[in-house]
Amino acid sequence: VTGGIPFHYLLGTRQQYARAILQALATVVFFTCVIGVRFIPSQIHRSLAPHSISVLDCQEGATDQQVFMLIKRIPADESGAKQQLASYSLRSGVLEKMDVTATTWPECFAVGEDGRAVYVASADDGSIIRISSEYPSESCIIGRHLQGTAHVLALADDEKTLISLGHRGLYAWDVPRRRPLWCRFNETADAMAILPGSDSIICYLSEQATGRLEEIDARTGTTIQVVKRDLSEVHHLTASPDGKYVAGVGGFSGILLLEHDLHHQAWKSRRLGASLVGMSTARISFSPDSARLVSANDDGRGFLVWDLASMTVAREIASDSNSLALGSVFLTNETLLCWSETGVIRRYELSENGIAATARGTDEDWAVSW
Amino acid sequence: MVTAISNQLGRYRQDQREGQRTLLGHIFLLAWFFVIFVSVYDGYLVLENRVFLDELNPIGRMLISLNGGGVWLLLAAKFVGTVIVASMLRVIYDNGAFFGTAITAFIAVLQLCLLLFLLFV
C-alpha cells in the first residue's frame, strides 16, 4: 500500500507527537533567539533611527500622480547610506522602494512613456538594466559600458533606442534586441537631450578645458552638426516636448536656450537670465505645452518659471528653507514638483498660486514603504 | 557456569546495543540541531537581505508574490515547515533509532549543501 515506504515510523501516540512538536518548537525558538540577538538590535536601531532622504533625480511616471525618484537614504548615524530607486505617489504620500534586485547602487535612470518600464544604470558594473515597475518586477540587462558607468540615460520616443552617457563613451542601445546600436568610445559626454519627434540628440561632449554641443543622429551616432563650440561645462540638458527648444545649465551664468530654426535646420542660441549664477547644478524642465521653463533662481534656493514667448520670468517661487534647489519638473502645465538637497519636495499649483503639498526628506514624513 | 557466561554475554550485548543507541542518539541530536539551525539561519538571511532579495525557490517566489513583495509570509511558512519536519524526524527516531538517524543525517547533508550555497555562492 505504501509502495515500500516505511510510513509506520511516523505513527506514534498523541503524547509522542506533542513531545516532538514541543521539542522542535523550543529548538527553533532557541536558534531564532540566538541569531536574533545579533540581528534584531541593529535592525531596530536601523528602523527607528530616522533616515534622511536626499532626492537626486525625479521623473514623471505613468500618471501625474506618480513620480519616480532616485534617492539616497542616509541613516542618522550616517553609516550605510544607500542609493535607491523609488516611486512616490503624490496622492497617498507614500514613497515605495522599487524592486531592483539586479543592482545595489543605481546611478541614474530613465522612464518609459507609460511608466511600466524603468531603465537603470548600475554603478556596480556599468550595466544598463530594464526593470518592470509593476510587481512582480522582472529585470533584464540591456548592455554594459565597457569602461566606467553610465551617468545619464535617456529613452527615445519609440522606446526602442536608449542612449547612455559615460565618462568614457557615448552608447546607443537597441532595447528590444538588447544589444549596442552604436558607440563612440573615445568621447566624454556629460549631458544630453533627445529631441522629441526626431531621430536626433543634442549632446555636450567635453574636451580638455571646454566642450561642444553636437547634434547627433540617434540611429547611427554620426554628427549632424556642431551646435556650439567652446562652451564651458554643461551639467544638464533638456528638450521641450515640441522639440523646438533645448535648454541647458552648467558652469556659466543663466540658462543656455537653443531654438531650432526649422527653415535653416540650424540652432539659434540665447541666454536666459544671464545674471543668474546660482543654478549651475539644478535640473530644469519644460512644461508639457512647451510654453514655460522652470529653473532654480539666483541664490539657488527658490525657483523661477520662465515664459518662453516673452523670455521673461513669469513667476518666482520663493523657498522657505535654506537648502539648495536641486531640480523641478512639470507634472502638468499647472503643477510643478520641486526638490531640494535636503530631500524636501514641494508640489505647487501654479493656477492657485501656492504650495499644494510638502514632504520633508525623512522616513517619517514620507510614509516610506520599504 | 554456562548460565553465568550466557548472562555475561547477554549483558555485554545489551551494553553494546545501548552504546550503539547512545552513539546514534548523539548523531541524531547533532544532525537534528544542525537541520534546524540552517533553516533558521536561512530565514535570518531572508530577513536581512529582504531589500535586495532574489529568491530562487519557486515556492518562495510565489509566497513573496502573494505577500505583495514582502517576506513575512515566506518566513512564517519556513517557521511552520521547520517545526513540522523537525517533529516528524523526532517521531521517526523514537520509532526506529537507526532509520531516524539515517534520515536526519541525510537531511543534514542537504542542509549543509544549502548552507554552503548561502554562504559562498
Side-chain angles (χ1 to χ4, degrees):
Chain A
V1 175
T2 60
I5 301 167
F7 280 121
H8 63 274
Y9 280 107
L10 276 170
L11 300 174
T13 60
R14 195 174 292 174
Q15 285 90 341
Q16 225 179 337
Y17 276 120
R19 196 184 60 195
I21 290 170
L22 267 178
Q23 284 177 350
L25 202 61
T27 313
V28 171
V29 170
F30 170 74
F31 280 127
T32 306
C33 290
V34 168
I35 293 173
V37 163
R38 200 189 125 207
F39 173 65
I40 291 168
S42 65
Q43 284 299 304
I44 289 174
H45 174 71
R46 210 185 289 175
S47 60
L48 291 184
H51 282 69
S52 61
I53 296 171
S54 172
V55 180
L56 305 176
D57 196 7
C58 185
Q59 291 187 29
E60 294 161 75
T63 65
D64 59 5
Q65 291 300 319
Q66 181 199 31
V67 289
F68 293 99
M69 292 176 177
L70 180 63
I71 60 164
K72 195 170 186 178
R73 294 181 87 216
I74 308 156
D77 58 4
E78 296 191 354
S79 65
K82 270 182 182 170
Q83 207 155 294
Q84 288 172 322
L85 204 61
S87 77
Y88 176 59
S89 163
L90 295 161
R91 193 169 290 149
S92 63
V94 174
L95 184 71
E96 278 190 30
K97 175 187 80 89
M98 283 184 64
D99 190 23
V100 192
T101 51
T103 176
T104 54
W105 194 275
E107 181 74 28
C108 57
F109 73 107
V111 185
E113 185 65 29
D114 59 3
R116 282 187 189 157
V118 179
Y119 299 84
V120 182
S122 167
D124 302 332
D125 57 1
S127 56
I128 317 274
I129 302 152
R130 180 188 194 277
I131 55 165
S132 151
S133 62
E134 291 165 342
Y135 194 84
S137 69
E138 288 174 1
S139 60
C140 64
I141 293 179
I142 302 290
R144 188 169 280 137
H145 275 222
L146 290 177
Q147 283 182 305
T149 58
H151 59 89
V152 180
L153 280 183
L155 197 61
D157 281 351
D158 60 1
E159 299 197 20
K160 287 181 179 168
T161 308
L162 182 74
I163 313 284
S164 62
L165 306 190
H167 294 297
R168 286 284 182 87
L170 166 63
Y171 293 73
W173 306 92
D174 183 337
V175 174
R177 292 178 184 173
R178 292 194 274 155
R179 66 181 188 195
L181 209 57
W182 51 263
C183 175
R184 288 168 64 160
F185 286 111
N186 299 322
E187 303 278 12
T188 300
D190 292 337
M192 72 158 157
I194 292 188
L195 295 176
S198 82
D199 291 318
S200 303
I201 57 172
I202 298 288
C203 188
Y204 177 74
L205 302 167
S206 58
E207 290 151 359
Q208 280 182 343
T210 59
R212 65 190 187 280
L213 277 175
E214 278 191 8
E215 185 177 356
I216 295 171
D217 188 333
R219 292 166 303 180
T220 60
T222 52
T223 302
I224 298 170
Q225 61 176 312
V226 176
V227 177
K228 203 164 176 57
R229 290 182 193 279
D230 299 325
L231 194 64
S232 58
E233 267 180 288
V234 175
H235 299 305
H236 175 64
L237 280 172
T238 187
S240 63
D242 64 1
K244 192 180 170 191
Y245 298 106
V246 170
V249 284
F252 45 83
S253 57
I255 303 164
L256 173 70
L257 188 72
L258 302 170
E259 190 177 350
H260 200 193
D261 182 350
L262 288 170
H263 183 65
H264 296 101
Q265 287 299 313
W267 291 88
K268 284 189 292 186
S269 71
R270 61 177 78 185
R271 193 68 59 91
L272 277 184
S275 62
L276 303 179
V277 291
M279 54 172 57
S280 62
T281 56
R283 192 180 187 279
I284 51 178
S285 164
F286 284 97
S287 61
D289 61 4
S290 301
R292 283 176 287 184
L293 173 72
V294 61
S295 72
N297 71 4
D298 194 16
D299 63 3
R301 303 191 191 287
F303 295 92
L304 299 173
V305 180
W306 300 83
D307 179 51
L308 294 175
S310 61
M311 298 287 170
T312 54
V313 176
R315 183 78 61 88
E316 184 163 2
I317 299 168
S319 172
D320 58 359
S321 74
N322 282 325
S323 60
L324 203 62
L326 286 186
S328 47
V329 65
F330 271 102
L331 297 178
T332 66
N333 286 328
E334 295 300 327
T335 311
L336 195 60
L337 202 69
C338 306
W339 63 96
S340 63
E341 65 173 352
T342 48
V344 177
I345 288 209
R346 287 204 172 84
R347 183 153 54 106
Y348 294 94
E349 292 298 336
L350 295 177
S351 56
E352 291 166 19
N353 202 16
I355 298 170
T358 300
R360 298 189 189 280
T362 60
D363 280 357
E364 289 85 352
D365 201 51
W366 283 102
V368 175
S369 163
W370 230 248
Chain B
M1 181 66 179
V2 174
T3 317
I5 291 170
S6 166
N7 284 347
Q8 192 66 33
L9 271 173
R11 210 175 299 136
Y12 172 74
R13 281 180 190 141
Q14 198 179 344
D15 286 351
Q16 214 176 14
R17 274 200 298 273
E18 276 173 11
Q20 279 175 352
R21 194 171 173 81
T22 314
L23 182 68
L24 279 178
H26 286 149
I27 294 171
F28 170 78
L29 264 185
L30 205 67
W32 192 70
F33 278 132
F34 184 73
V35 168
I36 295 174
F37 171 77
V38 174
S39 182
V40 172
Y41 184 70
D42 186 25
Y44 157 72
L45 288 180
V46 167
L47 194 61
E48 193 181 53
N49 300 311
R50 64 192 182 279
V51 174
F52 297 112
L53 181 67
D54 192 9
E55 179 64 43
L56 299 175
N57 185 338
I59 297 171
R61 289 177 80 97
M62 188 194 74
L63 290 171
I64 291 174
S65 179
L66 283 175
N67 201 187
V71 295
W72 296 106
L73 193 60
L74 174 67
L75 284 176
K78 262 185 203 292
F79 180 84
V80 172
T82 305
V83 171
I84 289 172
V85 168
S87 310
M88 281 166 67
L89 290 174
R90 190 73 182 84
V91 171
I92 292 170
Y93 175 79
D94 284 346
N95 289 333
F98 182 77
F99 189 60
T101 307
I103 285 188
T104 311
F106 177 70
I107 294 174
V109 170
L110 294 181
Q111 290 288 81
L112 178 67
C113 296
L114 171 68
L115 185 66
L116 293 175
F117 178 79
L118 292 174
L119 292 178
F120 300 111
V121 180

